[in-house]
PDB file of all heavy atoms in Angstrom:
ATOM      1  N   TRP B  98      16.169  -6.950 -23.000  1.00 87.00           N
ATOM      2  CA  TRP B  98      15.077  -6.518 -23.880  1.00 87.00           C
ATOM      3  C   TRP B  98      15.277  -5.054 -24.231  1.00 87.00           C
ATOM      4  O   TRP B  98      15.247  -4.187 -23.375  1.00 87.00           O
ATOM      5  CB  TRP B  98      13.742  -6.725 -23.160  1.00 87.00           C
ATOM      6  CG  TRP B  98      12.556  -6.580 -24.078  1.00 87.00           C
ATOM      7  CD1 TRP B  98      11.813  -5.445 -24.272  1.00 87.00           C
ATOM      8  CD2 TRP B  98      11.979  -7.582 -24.905  1.00 87.00           C
ATOM      9  NE1 TRP B  98      10.813  -5.676 -25.183  1.00 87.00           N
ATOM     10  CE2 TRP B  98      10.883  -6.994 -25.587  1.00 87.00           C
ATOM     11  CE3 TRP B  98      12.276  -8.928 -25.162  1.00 87.00           C
ATOM     12  CZ2 TRP B  98      10.095  -7.706 -26.482  1.00 87.00           C
ATOM     13  CZ3 TRP B  98      11.497  -9.633 -26.052  1.00 87.00           C
ATOM     14  CH2 TRP B  98      10.419  -9.029 -26.701  1.00 87.00           C
ATOM     15  N   ILE B 163       7.540  -5.827 -29.008  1.00 93.00           N
ATOM     16  CA  ILE B 163       7.530  -4.362 -28.997  1.00 93.00           C
ATOM     17  C   ILE B 163       8.769  -3.846 -28.265  1.00 93.00           C
ATOM     18  O   ILE B 163       9.024  -4.220 -27.118  1.00 93.00           O
ATOM     19  CB  ILE B 163       6.252  -3.820 -28.317  1.00 93.00           C
ATOM     20  CG1 ILE B 163       5.015  -4.257 -29.108  1.00 93.00           C
ATOM     21  CG2 ILE B 163       6.303  -2.299 -28.189  1.00 93.00           C
ATOM     22  CD1 ILE B 163       3.705  -3.888 -28.434  1.00 93.00           C
ATOM     23  N   THR B 165       9.530  -0.363 -28.379  1.00 93.00           N
ATOM     24  CA  THR B 165       9.362   1.086 -28.311  1.00 93.00           C
ATOM     25  C   THR B 165       9.145   1.500 -26.866  1.00 93.00           C
ATOM     26  O   THR B 165       8.175   1.066 -26.223  1.00 93.00           O
ATOM     27  CB  THR B 165       8.164   1.539 -29.167  1.00 93.00           C
ATOM     28  OG1 THR B 165       8.345   1.090 -30.500  1.00 93.00           O
ATOM     29  CG2 THR B 165       8.025   3.049 -29.132  1.00 93.00           C
ATOM     30  N   PHE B 166      10.019   2.337 -26.354  1.00 94.00           N
ATOM     31  CA  PHE B 166       9.933   2.749 -24.953  1.00 94.00           C
ATOM     32  C   PHE B 166       8.607   3.420 -24.646  1.00 94.00           C
ATOM     33  O   PHE B 166       8.017   3.207 -23.574  1.00 94.00           O
ATOM     34  CB  PHE B 166      11.085   3.710 -24.624  1.00 94.00           C
ATOM     35  CG  PHE B 166      10.969   4.360 -23.275  1.00 94.00           C
ATOM     36  CD1 PHE B 166      11.169   3.635 -22.109  1.00 94.00           C
ATOM     37  CD2 PHE B 166      10.633   5.712 -23.180  1.00 94.00           C
ATOM     38  CE1 PHE B 166      11.054   4.235 -20.870  1.00 94.00           C
ATOM     39  CE2 PHE B 166      10.515   6.316 -21.942  1.00 94.00           C
ATOM     40  CZ  PHE B 166      10.728   5.577 -20.772  1.00 94.00           C
ATOM     41  N   TYR B 167       8.086   4.220 -25.557  1.00 95.00           N
ATOM     42  CA  TYR B 167       6.869   4.993 -25.280  1.00 95.00           C
ATOM     43  C   TYR B 167       5.637   4.097 -25.154  1.00 95.00           C
ATOM     44  O   TYR B 167       4.656   4.481 -24.512  1.00 95.00           O
ATOM     45  CB  TYR B 167       6.668   6.060 -26.358  1.00 95.00           C
ATOM     46  CG  TYR B 167       7.688   7.164 -26.238  1.00 95.00           C
ATOM     47  CD1 TYR B 167       8.777   7.228 -27.106  1.00 95.00           C
ATOM     48  CD2 TYR B 167       7.595   8.119 -25.222  1.00 95.00           C
ATOM     49  CE1 TYR B 167       9.728   8.224 -26.984  1.00 95.00           C
ATOM     50  CE2 TYR B 167       8.541   9.121 -25.084  1.00 95.00           C
ATOM     51  CZ  TYR B 167       9.603   9.169 -25.965  1.00 95.00           C
ATOM     52  OH  TYR B 167      10.565  10.150 -25.825  1.00 95.00           O
ATOM     53  N   TYR B 168       5.666   2.928 -25.748  1.00 96.00           N
ATOM     54  CA  TYR B 168       4.559   1.980 -25.539  1.00 96.00           C
ATOM     55  C   TYR B 168       4.478   1.589 -24.072  1.00 96.00           C
ATOM     56  O   TYR B 168       3.403   1.661 -23.454  1.00 96.00           O
ATOM     57  CB  TYR B 168       4.761   0.724 -26.406  1.00 96.00           C
ATOM     58  CG  TYR B 168       3.803  -0.401 -26.053  1.00 96.00           C
ATOM     59  CD1 TYR B 168       2.509  -0.409 -26.543  1.00 96.00           C
ATOM     60  CD2 TYR B 168       4.199  -1.443 -25.209  1.00 96.00           C
ATOM     61  CE1 TYR B 168       1.624  -1.437 -26.218  1.00 96.00           C
ATOM     62  CE2 TYR B 168       3.325  -2.471 -24.873  1.00 96.00           C
ATOM     63  CZ  TYR B 168       2.040  -2.458 -25.383  1.00 96.00           C
ATOM     64  OH  TYR B 168       1.169  -3.469 -25.041  1.00 96.00           O
ATOM     65  N   TYR B 169       5.602   1.195 -23.503  1.00 95.00           N
ATOM     66  CA  TYR B 169       5.625   0.781 -22.105  1.00 95.00           C
ATOM     67  C   TYR B 169       5.359   1.967 -21.175  1.00 95.00           C
ATOM     68  O   TYR B 169       4.729   1.807 -20.116  1.00 95.00           O
ATOM     69  CB  TYR B 169       6.973   0.129 -21.777  1.00 95.00           C
ATOM     70  CG  TYR B 169       7.219  -1.109 -22.603  1.00 95.00           C
ATOM     71  CD1 TYR B 169       8.083  -1.081 -23.701  1.00 95.00           C
ATOM     72  CD2 TYR B 169       6.571  -2.298 -22.309  1.00 95.00           C
ATOM     73  CE1 TYR B 169       8.296  -2.207 -24.484  1.00 95.00           C
ATOM     74  CE2 TYR B 169       6.777  -3.440 -23.079  1.00 95.00           C
ATOM     75  CZ  TYR B 169       7.635  -3.387 -24.156  1.00 95.00           C
ATOM     76  OH  TYR B 169       7.836  -4.500 -24.934  1.00 95.00           O
ATOM     77  N   LEU B 170       5.794   3.141 -21.583  1.00 95.00           N
ATOM     78  CA  LEU B 170       5.560   4.337 -20.773  1.00 95.00           C
ATOM     79  C   LEU B 170       4.061   4.643 -20.690  1.00 95.00           C
ATOM     80  O   LEU B 170       3.524   4.875 -19.596  1.00 95.00           O
ATOM     81  CB  LEU B 170       6.300   5.527 -21.386  1.00 95.00           C
ATOM     82  CG  LEU B 170       6.190   6.858 -20.635  1.00 95.00           C
ATOM     83  CD1 LEU B 170       6.935   6.782 -19.310  1.00 95.00           C
ATOM     84  CD2 LEU B 170       6.739   7.999 -21.495  1.00 95.00           C
ATOM     85  N   ILE B 171       3.379   4.631 -21.824  1.00 96.00           N
ATOM     86  CA  ILE B 171       1.943   4.940 -21.854  1.00 96.00           C
ATOM     87  C   ILE B 171       1.145   3.885 -21.095  1.00 96.00           C
ATOM     88  O   ILE B 171       0.216   4.202 -20.340  1.00 96.00           O
ATOM     89  CB  ILE B 171       1.455   5.055 -23.312  1.00 96.00           C
ATOM     90  CG1 ILE B 171       2.089   6.292 -23.974  1.00 96.00           C
ATOM     91  CG2 ILE B 171      -0.066   5.149 -23.378  1.00 96.00           C
ATOM     92  CD1 ILE B 171       1.834   6.383 -25.468  1.00 96.00           C
ATOM     93  N   GLN B 173       2.184   1.995 -18.622  1.00 95.00           N
ATOM     94  CA  GLN B 173       2.428   2.164 -17.194  1.00 95.00           C
ATOM     95  C   GLN B 173       1.654   3.353 -16.630  1.00 95.00           C
ATOM     96  O   GLN B 173       1.143   3.301 -15.503  1.00 95.00           O
ATOM     97  CB  GLN B 173       3.926   2.362 -16.930  1.00 95.00           C
ATOM     98  CG  GLN B 173       4.726   1.071 -16.882  1.00 95.00           C
ATOM     99  CD  GLN B 173       4.354   0.213 -15.685  1.00 95.00           C
ATOM    100  OE1 GLN B 173       3.359  -0.513 -15.699  1.00 95.00           O
ATOM    101  NE2 GLN B 173       5.156   0.282 -14.642  1.00 95.00           N
TER     102      GLN B 173
END
Side-chain angles (χ1 to χ4, degrees):
W98 192 265
I163 298 174
T165 304
F166 171 71
Y167 289 103
Y168 169 81
Y169 299 103
L170 182 69
I171 293 172
Q173 278 293 81

